[in-house]
Amino acid sequence: MVRVLIGGVLALAIAMGVGRFAFTPILPAMQAATGLGTDAAGLLASLNYLGYFLGALGAGLVPHGTVRTAVFRTALIASVTSTAGMGFTEDMAAWAVLRFVSGLASAGMFILGIAMTLDALARAGRESWTGWLYTGVGIGIASSGLFVALMGDRLGWRGDWLWLGLACLGFGTLSWLWVTDPPRAAAHTAAGTAGGGSPQPSAPLVLLTLAYFLEGAGYIVTGTFLVAILKTMPETAQLGAAAWMVTGLAAMPSGIVWAAAGRKLGLWRALILAHVVQAVGILLPITGSPAAAVVSAALFGGTFIGIVTLSFTLGRQLSGGASARVIGALTAVYGLGQIVGPVPAGLVVARTGSFDSALVGATAVVLVSAALLAAGAWMAGRSGPATVALDARRG
């Protein structure tokens, strides 16, 4: 089981930490060398998230067994190839295709990798290990940030993409070997015990879904532009890559920490608190303070994976046991929000020459998400004290 967990962690590190988010620390060097504008960078980010959205929809249709293993491995190959491929060209159209493919691959690896790893842990009675799986995203972010910080000046942006792709190829071999699905009959039995029916619609579940969409649209502004934001200010220009490493390091324990908060405070309260903390982190770079920039990176990294973890857990509870369906739906709306966020932010920056308005807008969106969660918590509380107590215990 340890090998399966390691394979799952590495899959998330490759899919999310590198395939999706390595763009963030490499972006300033790409802009300096090629003249890539912030509006065009926002478009590339949104195409990546469009791919992720479509991949999330498709991943939910993949059947258990050997087909799921094959699709996961195909996504792994596509992720490695699209990462390395960024270093072979300066053509905007080629970059657009590569970032779109990377998004598709990230969704396939993320959703199927999580599903197969969690199924394997459940079969072995190791559900308590689940929180460790999400550390892979933080490991990938921290590792890619460290690599760019140490080697970026020597290798250039092309070398960054090429060597990260090569590293993903090496570590991805372990995921290829260790993350697999059993034959369809066994997988179907395991899935049946986990609950895979249709989600039961309710007002709290709808509000959670809307809030998750807004979270995707708000957090991704920082997720895309954090390093570029810091590079534009003289006081924080030297902190860009280091701040992204802080983001990754803070993200590593985020899922475990916020899951514990959910058990102590209740899932609704913990989720609202995580949104408020994240909103503060998004806004801090406006101050121009180096200390605030580091705190911003830590707060951002320390919340976004925790929000995913808490939202999935709460969604499973509100869905009446339809865990697979509700996680797929939440992932899709989150991906849709990420498509929406970067383009207007990039256009605002291109027009004003400053990230301040984009950060204020992203902060407002995340706070509106928190308000929707507060409404959902109130509605859930009206359904009876027993439901609230169950939520607090099972978080």
Side-chain angles (χ1 to χ4, degrees), residues 22-128:
F23 183 73
T24 302
I26 300 175
L27 176 59
M30 292 177 65
Q31 290 180 304
T34 67
L36 180 69
T38 304
D39 50 351
L43 176 61
L44 289 177
S46 287
L47 286 171
N48 181 259
Y49 307 139
L50 174 61
Y52 185 81
F53 170 68
L54 296 176
L57 295 178
L61 304 176
V62 177
H64 289 265
T66 55
V67 174
R68 189 156 70 166
T69 301
V71 173
F72 170 78
R73 289 175 171 177
T74 301
L76 174 58
I77 294 171
S79 181
V80 171
T81 303
S82 58
T83 295
M86 290 291 292
F88 283 102
T89 180
E90 293 186 16
D91 182 71
M92 181 66 183
W95 280 345
V97 172
L98 288 169
R99 294 310 293 158
F100 177 78
V101 170
S102 179
L104 282 173
S106 294
M109 289 186 68
F110 182 73
I111 294 173
L112 300 181
I114 286 176
M116 290 190 290
T117 302
L118 294 184
D119 285 352
L121 293 177
R123 289 192 299 271
R126 299 290 186 179
E127 294 94 335
S128 60

Side-chain angles (χ1 to χ4, degrees), residues 203-205 207-208 268 272 318 370-382:
L205 181 56
L207 288 170
L208 172 65
W268 286 107
I272 293 167
L318 294 174
L372 290 176
L373 291 171
W378 179 75
M379 289 186 176
R382 291 184 64 192

Side-chain angles (χ1 to χ4, degrees), residues 6-345:
I6 292 173
V9 168
L10 291 174
L12 296 195
I14 293 167
M16 307 296 288
V18 178
R20 294 194 69 203
F21 288 119
F23 183 73
T24 302
I26 300 175
L27 176 59
M30 292 177 65
Q31 290 180 304
T34 67
L36 180 69
T38 304
D39 50 351
L43 176 61
L44 289 177
S46 287
L47 286 171
N48 181 259
Y49 307 139
L50 174 61
Y52 185 81
F53 170 68
L54 296 176
L57 295 178
L61 304 176
V62 177
H64 289 265
T66 55
V67 174
R68 189 156 70 166
T69 301
V71 173
F72 170 78
R73 289 175 171 177
T74 301
L76 174 58
I77 294 171
S79 181
V80 171
T81 303
S82 58
T83 295
M86 290 291 292
F88 283 102
T89 180
E90 293 186 16
D91 182 71
M92 181 66 183
W95 280 345
V97 172
L98 288 169
R99 294 310 293 158
F100 177 78
V101 170
S102 179
L104 282 173
S106 294
M109 289 186 68
F110 182 73
I111 294 173
L112 300 181
I114 286 176
M116 290 190 290
T117 302
L118 294 184
D119 285 352
L121 293 177
R123 289 192 299 271
R126 299 290 186 179
E127 294 94 335
S128 60
W129 293 6
T130 296
W132 294 98
L133 176 61
Y134 297 97
T135 63
V137 179
I139 290 172
I141 290 174
S143 299
S144 63
L146 177 62
F147 179 84
V148 173
L150 294 178
M151 304 301 295
D153 291 339
R154 300 179 185 178
L155 299 175
W157 66 270
R158 290 181 181 272
D160 288 341
W161 284 115
L162 293 171
W163 281 98
L164 283 173
L166 184 61
C168 290
L169 176 62
F171 289 114
T173 302
L174 300 179
S175 295
W176 178 292
L177 295 173
W178 294 343
V179 180
T180 60
D181 234 10
R184 181 178 175 84
H188 180 72
T189 301
T193 62
S198 298
Q200 302 300 314
S202 65
L205 181 56
V206 171
L207 288 170
L208 172 65
T209 303
L210 291 174
Y212 203 54
F213 163 76
L214 292 177
E215 161 65 11
Y219 102 96
I220 203 58
V221 174
T222 295
T224 300
F225 295 116
L226 177 61
V227 177
I229 291 168
L230 300 182
K231 291 282 188 180
T232 61
M233 296 182 287
E235 301 89 344
T236 59
Q238 301 302 315
L239 292 176
W244 193 242
M245 283 187 286
V246 171
T247 297
L249 292 172
M252 287 170 58
S254 175
I256 299 170
V257 170
W258 284 104
R263 290 190 292 271
K264 185 175 181 62
L265 302 175
L267 292 175
W268 286 107
R269 291 190 188 93
L271 198 50
I272 293 167
L273 177 61
H275 279 70
V276 173
V277 172
Q278 184 181 92
V280 172
I282 292 172
L283 196 60
L284 278 176
I286 290 179
T287 65
S289 164
V294 174
V295 173
S296 171
L299 294 181
F300 175 72
T303 52
F304 82 93
I305 296 300
I307 288 172
V308 171
T309 305
L310 290 170
S311 297
F312 282 3
T313 304
L314 183 57
R316 287 197 299 269
Q317 292 184 12
L318 294 174
S319 69
S323 57
R325 295 287 181 85
V326 78
I327 288 175
L330 287 173
T331 301
V333 298
Y334 194 65
L336 185 60
Q338 291 173 119
I339 297 168
V340 173
V343 170

